[in-house]
Amino acid sequence: MSTIHIKGGRVIDPGQGVDASLDVWLRDRKVLAVGREGPGDADEVIDAGGLIVCPGLIDCHVHLREPGNEEDETIATGADAALAGGVTTVACMPNTIPPLDTPAGVEYIVLQAKRAKKCNVYPVGAVSKGRSGGELAELGRLVEAGAVAFTDDGAPVANPSLMKRALQYASMFDKVIMQHCQVMELTDGGVMNGGYQSMRLGIPGMPPEAEDIMVARDIRLAEVTGGRLHIQHISTARAVEVVREGKRRGVRVTAEACPHHFTLTDDRLESFDSHFKMNPPLRTSEDVQAVIEGLTDGTIEVLSTDHAPHAPEKKARELNLAPFGIIGLETLVPLVVTHLIGPGHLDWPTAIRMLTVAPADLLGLGHRKGSLAPGFDADVTILDPSARWTVDPGRSRSKSRNTPFGGWEVTGRAHTVIVNGEIRFRHDPGERGDLPAG
Ligand SMILES: NC(=O)N[C@@H](CC(=O)O)C(=O)O
């Protein structure tokens, strides 16, 4: 029976409506108490003075690459990068090789994550067999094996009839269909956002309407089926507006935004640097502003990373041949602090909600994760809200280095991370890249 006492921190637990200087006690892999009085006999005491103590952060959109592309990432390395980013739970995407479209594939992820003993990993199953968009996967069997949601991420579920059936069938298990919204016929061969910059640079574009159209289509399908729809990595102003309007009609639609879509714009591609190549692509400043407004007004309720590691030699290829995607687990917190909380777009409780109780509810984990209520899992993230440091790709715990944020001076980082009642990450003070306070 081990007890951890986290004392003197600012406890922010939006699920419980808590934002106060309180102590937290963990015992036997569960939250024991949050308050000013607790058991005196702790095995470990953590001084959280000047720090933020919150439920373990949950990232619902992470590519771990295992099985099949272990040269980019493994479950162990990705789950370790999550810890360094303050993330205690990830939902991993099914675009592995083979894809997660069978119970055995889902069970493999669960087993490998347990062996790694880093962050918690929950598999997201494929919607269609082989992620081919042709035939529904056996969703019920995938749920039994441990799938917490379904997506064909990396590809849309393009066939509207299949999408409609997926929404209907998944709702039998109260699971969400996460959609990568892209009309492929409009983006074929595209490398960056389609618009003024792509024309100016002579780079094939992916027009925003490729996202807008599928978002609108799928919201209508969710409306007629009553199914649960989640819009992944939303990136366009029109998509945000369509989600806002769908919510007004009572449609069961949620949405997530990733840091690159609220910090970067498509003019960055003038560098022809593939670290600015991801899908959906970087959009215009109007789109960035709309994503921020969507976060501010609650249209977008989840923050995620779409952590998409690619080995350096793959990203070193010329722009139109390099794969889409960037890593993000270790820059999530600093980019949220620096570019959402710092400028006043979000307050701390709202930002923490988007990384705890909101993704927990999305993944059906809200009864045990995403809050510090007594009896909940002892997953705790302790953040240093004022730490200033410089992003150094070479120090990432990911196997890959493909971040566009290298060299950025940021504020905020993970201090201590506890998973299942065990301290699994401590930031070592004076680490290279730390900047003087002030
Ligand atoms: N988001 C990305 O840019 N890349 C994703 C797949 C995808 O969604 O295209 C990946 O798996 O690399």
Side-chain angles (χ1 to χ4, degrees):
M1 180 172 75
S2 68
T3 304
I4 298 177
H5 175 195
I6 306 167
K7 66 179 191 175
R10 175 186 175 186
V11 176
I12 299 179
D13 181 1
Q16 302 295 307
V18 169
D19 180 3
S21 179
L22 295 169
D23 289 11
V24 177
W25 287 266
L26 310 175
R27 177 172 287 170
D28 281 353
R29 300 193 291 276
K30 297 294 181 189
V31 176
L32 179 63
V34 177
R36 291 186 172 77
E37 298 295 326
D41 56 342
D43 303 284
E44 174 100 26
V45 178
I46 299 173
D47 179 0
L51 303 176
I52 285 177
V53 181
C54 57
L57 304 186
I58 301 170
D59 186 347
C60 66
H61 193 150
V62 170
H63 297 272
L64 295 179
R65 303 301 191 213
E66 182 182 353
N69 284 115
E70 289 84 348
E71 70 280 5
D72 298 331
E73 198 79 282
T74 65
I75 290 166
T77 58
D80 196 30
L83 290 177
V87 172
T88 59
T89 296
V90 303
C92 67
M93 296 293 108
N95 65 331
T96 49
I97 305 170
L100 304 186
D101 63 354
T102 64
V106 169
E107 286 161 359
Y108 175 80
I109 303 295
V110 173
L111 183 63
Q112 286 293 85
K114 283 198 168 73
R115 283 177 178 152
K117 280 194 78 170
K118 298 291 181 182
C119 75
N120 303 306
V121 178
Y122 289 88
V124 177
V127 172
S128 64
K129 286 184 178 171
R131 290 181 52 250
S132 62
E135 189 185 349
L136 264 193
E138 294 181 280
L139 305 189
R141 294 187 62 213
L142 298 182
V143 171
E144 286 167 12
V148 291
F150 300 100
T151 184
D152 278 353
D153 184 55
V157 178
N159 181 322
S161 171
L162 186 71
M163 186 61 179
K164 183 176 180 180
R165 269 184 289 127
L167 286 162
Q168 288 167 324
Y169 194 28
S171 56
M172 288 169 58
F173 312 98
D174 192 24
K175 298 299 180 191
V176 69
I177 299 292
M178 302 175 156
Q179 176 73 305
H180 171 116
C181 298
Q182 181 180 350
V183 176
M184 300 303 281
E185 293 81 357
L186 288 171
T187 59
D188 195 23
V191 170
M192 68 175 286
N193 181 45
Y196 168 74
Q197 293 294 346
S198 63
M199 283 187 287
R200 179 175 76 90
L201 296 169
I203 298 174
M206 303 165 76
E209 60 269 22
E211 178 172 322
D212 306 342
I213 290 167
M214 191 160 281
V215 171
R217 180 201 81 170
D218 289 351
I219 284 177
R220 183 63 182 133
L221 291 175
E223 185 169 33
V224 298
T225 59
R228 291 175 60 199
L229 170 68
H230 179 69
I231 306 298
Q232 295 182 286
H233 40 47
I234 200 164
S235 71
T236 71
R238 181 96 185 100
V240 174
E241 180 48 37
V242 170
V243 169
R244 187 176 287 120
E245 202 268 330
K247 282 175 180 274
R248 271 196 218 110
R249 298 205 312 270
V251 180
R252 299 177 75 192
V253 55
T254 53
E256 72 187 31
C258 305
H260 41 288
H261 290 125
F262 61 73
T263 55
L264 297 169
T265 48
D266 57 1
D267 54 300
R268 295 278 183 164
L269 276 298
E270 65 194 7
S271 65
F272 285 79
D273 180 345
S274 66
H275 288 127
F276 295 110
K277 180 181 180 181
M278 63 287 283
N279 187 12
L282 301 179
R283 304 286 189 184
T284 67
S285 53
E286 290 76 17
D287 295 307
V288 167
Q289 194 49 46
V291 168
I292 292 172
E293 284 163 12
L295 288 163
T296 303
D297 73 9
T299 300
I300 303 168
E301 55 268 271
V302 174
L303 287 165
S304 71
T305 64
D306 191 7
H307 178 82
H310 293 287
E313 61 274 13
K314 296 181 182 177
K315 269 293 194 180
R317 301 174 68 186
E318 58 193 89
L319 186 62
N320 65 329
L321 296 177
F324 290 94
I326 59 171
I327 57 176
L329 281 164
E330 295 166 272
T331 46
L332 169 65
V333 166
L335 291 171
V336 168
V337 174
T338 312
H339 294 279
L340 292 178
I341 299 174
H345 297 309
L346 296 180
D347 61 21
W348 269 100
T350 305
I352 297 293
R353 167 179 290 278
M354 294 179 164
L355 289 165
T356 54
V357 64
D361 288 344
L362 178 73
L363 300 171
L365 299 172
H367 60 291
R368 57 180 297 187
K369 292 186 181 297
S371 169
L372 294 175
F376 269 49
D377 293 350
D379 297 343
V380 181
T381 297
I382 302 176
L383 297 171
D384 184 343
S386 53
R388 293 178 59 246
W389 56 290
T390 304
V391 177
D392 175 358
R395 298 188 65 76
S396 172
R397 293 192 179 193
S398 170
K399 275 186 94 170
S400 294
R401 297 285 176 267
N402 53 311
T403 174
F405 301 111
W408 283 39
E409 289 193 5
V410 292
T411 301
R413 74 179 312 155
H415 178 277
T416 301
V417 182
I418 300 166
V419 177
N420 207 18
E422 294 176 11
I423 298 175
R424 294 191 181 167
F425 174 81
R426 288 183 201 264
H427 170 62
D428 57 315
E431 182 171 304
R432 184 161 59 89
D434 285 3
L435 297 170

